[in-house]
Amino acid sequence: MNTILVGAQWGDEGKGKIIDVLTGEVDVVVRCQGGNNAGHTVEVGKEKFVLQLIPSGILWPKKTCVIGNGVVIDMVALVGEIQGLEKRGVKTKGRLLLSETAHLVFPYHKLLDEAREQRKGKIGTTKRGIGPAYSDKVARVGLRLGDILKPALFKEKLKERIATNNGVLKAFGGKTVDFAKTHAEYEAAAKILRPYLANTVVWLHESLAKKKKMLFEGAQGTFLDIDFGTYPYVTSSNTTAGGASTGSGIPPHRMDRVVGCMKAYTTRVGEGALPTESDELGDLFHGMGREFGANTRRPRRCGWFDAVATGYAQLVNGFDELAVTNLDGLDSLSEIKVCVAYEVRGKRLKYPPVDFRDWDACKPVYRTFKGWKSDTSKIRSYKKLPLRAREYLKALADLTGAPLKIVSVGAQRDATLFV
Ligand code: IMP
């Protein structure tokens, strides 16, 4: 069984936790897109891990993790992550494979990202250089991880890229990059990373032939997808199910199941439309100390569950199963709203508009549910959830159009209820 897990909303759906749970069933975990803009939080016992590039499967001693060709890799950040894990007793050697064709993120990508974010019309990016790195990939001028196997060529290409990008950075009026310093940093990182490189396409197919089971873990969420999201307020990769194939080299028909992960409400970081945004919910969650970015610590914007959005996510991803997280966040509410349609200039929409400017004009049409007003965070069986909570969950799944399989009521592994 090969499973794709993706976010059905705007990212931060609690995928790290669900991935960790699903990893128990597989042999190999594959990351297919995005970079260290992602931040997956996993709690194991009393320990908390925040993973940015390395799949959370690394926390399971017998699993192999792959960073596929669709990912953009900041080598220095990756070395930091590997060393941080090793220091805490998590072995990575022989268990982590890096695609030679994954593109690299350099300091000039980060500076360009920062410079663009200072201009009018900013996206609210993580400033990790993700967009500029993917731009270079598509423009066919990027450096790939495999280039570190040819140090002289790597040096020459990097020198040229830094010279060109320094010209652009100067035009922005900002800082430039020092070649010698950057090359030394990346050469030191290359020394550590070289043993991890592999032809991951071939390795994955050989593993499939040996009947190994795989989990393709998505980063970010459907509405941050470069094609299907609220463009231009999106990330620069395909965060939806198709990205698992193009980002790994495993064809679509070898995938058996798509699991959609969504929160029992909605959150978003960065700019862009969020039709169900509610200050009341934001205040509630932030007051509880929840909904701050795992990566940048930015407070997330919060809103009611948006079934118009998740219904569209169902079209694009074809979810076979749903995992709903953070149910416990709603425990204290007497009434809970769910957006079932958008209204734009007197017209009712069942699916979101294509143009982001029309998203801003969308008024949510709500259905109101009675809250269960009790603590669900200690519950360890789906049947023991209050009836109103189960009714609410059933409505989310029906409105989205896929069966509910997993509910999460807390960060711990055992706070996971199977329907
Ligand atoms: P970028 O991916 O850093 O270019 O940021 C583009 C948009 O995607 C911004 O709105 C970010 O806040 C958002 N974004 C990127 N990665 C994540 C994530 O892991 N969780 C939630 N939002 C993200």
Side-chain angles (χ1 to χ4, degrees), residues 10-12 37-39 113 123-128 130-131 219-220 224 233-236 268-271 295 298:
W10 276 269
D12 303 321
N37 49 349
D113 199 352
I123 306 292
T125 72
T126 59
K127 299 184 184 160
R128 301 285 151 96
I130 305 300
Q220 293 89 38
L224 293 172
Y233 300 101
V234 292
T235 190
S236 299
R268 164 167 213 171
V269 281
E271 311 299 315
N295 199 337
R298 289 183 288 178

Side-chain angles (χ1 to χ4, degrees), residues 334-338 367-371 388 391-392 395 399:
S334 5
E335 285 196 332
I336 304 168
K337 293 200 265 187
V338 172
R367 199 161 121 197
T368 303
F369 292 77
K370 285 225 168 339
R388 281 182 183 164
E391 282 172 352
Y392 177 73
L399 288 161

Side-chain angles (χ1 to χ4, degrees), residues 262 305 322 324 392-404:
M262 50 205 213
F305 187 87
L322 296 176
V324 176
Y392 177 73
L393 289 164
K394 183 169 183 324
L396 302 192
D398 288 349
L399 288 161
T400 302
L404 177 68

Side-chain angles (χ1 to χ4, degrees), residues 54 58 81-82 85-86 90-96 196:
I54 300 176
I58 205 75
E81 216 172 305
I82 289 173
L85 284 169
E86 295 266 344
V90 180
K91 296 253 171 304
T92 59
K93 297 239 166 66
R95 300 186 48 225
L96 175 66
Y196 293 89

